[in-house]
Amino acid sequence: LDSQIDDSLRRTAISSLGELGSEAAVAAIVEAAGSENGRVREAAVDTLGEAVSTKEILNRLARMASSDRDEVVRASAMSAIAKLDEARGAAMARSFLAQRDDTPAQVLHSSSLRVLGEQGNADDFPLLLRHLSPDRSRSVRGAAAEAAMHRFEEEGVSFQNRERSRLAAHLITGLSDPDLRTRQSAIAKLGKTYDDDARAALLRFASQTNVERPDMASLARDAASVIRRGKPDSKEKAKSEGAEEEDLEVLEKRLDELQERLKRLEEWR
């Protein structure tokens, strides 16, 4: 891990050390986390996130998440902590999101939102929805939408019945966003809320965009069909209608595939 070696080779070496997993290998990765090169520190942090959790590693990652001069490294450290200690990672993400504006730290905000989406709980839902506000950056709103949708799907039926209209109301604003991927993401997620207002908004959107963007209109109609035929309180009835159930599964699969493509695009950015 000599500093004179090419950065890409150093990152590869760090990854290889992580696969070894020995005490000496982990010690070398921790040392690399103090490199002057931000990409080397990022590689070290990502690798430590796959290591055996120890107090030393967690404390080192916590310091980097709080004070590293590179925002990407701080975001990676936050994610690594959440992998090793879900409660601690969620607490750090919660604290960061509650106190800071996202303008100077979009990457760190997005990482914190993803942590809460995966490791948070129902109490975090209002905080996630707050970051869907139109005054937030596009990347932060995208991460917040993914996180809020994940929490919505993970929580129980009573939570979903209580929160579906509030989630749908926030997602509906995405249908008028100038960014194409934001509109596509809103369509895919609205289809999973099973909310009547969401269905109405999707049908209006389909009608308004049918000529200009027939592909988007088709996706919106598919999402509206999922809501109409797949609402939780009518699932049992739908299951008795074999053809309709098969069609519903096809529509849901299309929405899932769209969400996955959008997620990969966002991570690539």
Side-chain angles (χ1 to χ4, degrees), residues 56-114:
E56 178 190 2
I57 290 175
L58 284 170
N59 288 341
R60 181 61 177 268
L61 290 171
R63 288 195 297 273
M64 296 181 75
S66 300
S67 59
D68 193 277
R69 59 187 177 278
D70 187 314
E71 183 191 351
V72 174
V73 174
R74 295 176 67 193
S76 295
M78 177 87 70
S79 298
I81 291 169
K83 290 179 181 179
L84 297 174
D85 186 334
E86 292 188 0
R88 185 170 182 176
M92 288 193 70
R94 208 172 282 129
S95 176
F96 182 86
L97 291 171
Q99 296 177 15
R100 308 190 188 194
D101 174 65
D102 71 350
T103 304
Q106 295 180 16
V107 173
L108 190 51
H109 255 74
S110 297
S111 179
S112 299
L113 288 162
R114 284 190 287 271

Side-chain angles (χ1 to χ4, degrees), residues 200-229:
L202 287 164
L203 291 175
R204 283 196 303 272
F205 176 87
S207 176
Q208 294 164 0
T209 59
N210 194 47
V211 175
E212 181 184 354
R213 290 299 304 262
D215 55 332
M216 295 283 284
S218 177
L219 283 172
R221 284 192 292 269
D222 285 349
S225 294
V226 169
I227 295 173
R228 178 178 65 83
R229 293 153 60 181

Side-chain angles (χ1 to χ4, degrees), residues 229-230 234-245 248:
R229 293 153 60 181
S234 61
K235 281 281 190 179
E236 293 303 315
K237 179 179 178 181
K239 285 180 181 179
S240 67
E241 303 169 4
E244 283 203 6
E245 180 65 15
L248 176 60

